[in-house]
């Protein structure tokens, strides 16, 4: 089993994924990519909340 990424690296990866999807022309954005972007945004917020609560 691989060691999980540290919190800040997780956030960086998620944020880069969100920005890459956001850079796609909205006319070409598939429902699957929209769902991925929404899920990544939720994961970003959840990680932030966990970090703020000291659960990292």
């Amino acid at each position: 089993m691989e060691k999980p990424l540290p919190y800040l690296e997780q956030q960086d990866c998620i944020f880069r994924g969100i920005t890459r999807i956001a850079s796609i022309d909205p006319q070409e954005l598939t429902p699957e990519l929209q769902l991925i972007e929404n899920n990544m945004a939720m994961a970003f917020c959840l990680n932030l909340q966990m970090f703020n609560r000291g659960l990292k």
Side-chain angles (χ1 to χ4, degrees), residues 37-49:
E37 182 180 31
N38 291 340
N39 288 342
M40 291 175 87
M42 286 189 283
F44 187 86
C45 291
L46 180 60
N47 275 351
L48 182 61
Q49 288 176 1

Side-chain angles (χ1 to χ4, degrees), residues 7-55:
Y7 164 78
L8 292 177
E9 288 182 48
Q10 290 178 27
Q11 289 297 79
D12 188 47
C13 289
I14 294 169
F15 187 71
R16 277 188 279 146
I18 291 170
T19 55
R20 287 181 123 182
I21 293 172
S23 70
I24 297 172
D25 180 7
Q27 298 296 327
E28 298 177 14
L29 198 59
T30 64
E32 292 83 11
L33 284 175
Q34 289 175 336
L35 181 62
I36 291 169
E37 182 180 31
N38 291 340
N39 288 342
M40 291 175 87
M42 286 189 283
F44 187 86
C45 291
L46 180 60
N47 275 351
L48 182 61
Q49 288 176 1
M50 290 174 63
F51 182 75
N52 287 339
R53 292 182 182 174
L55 300 176

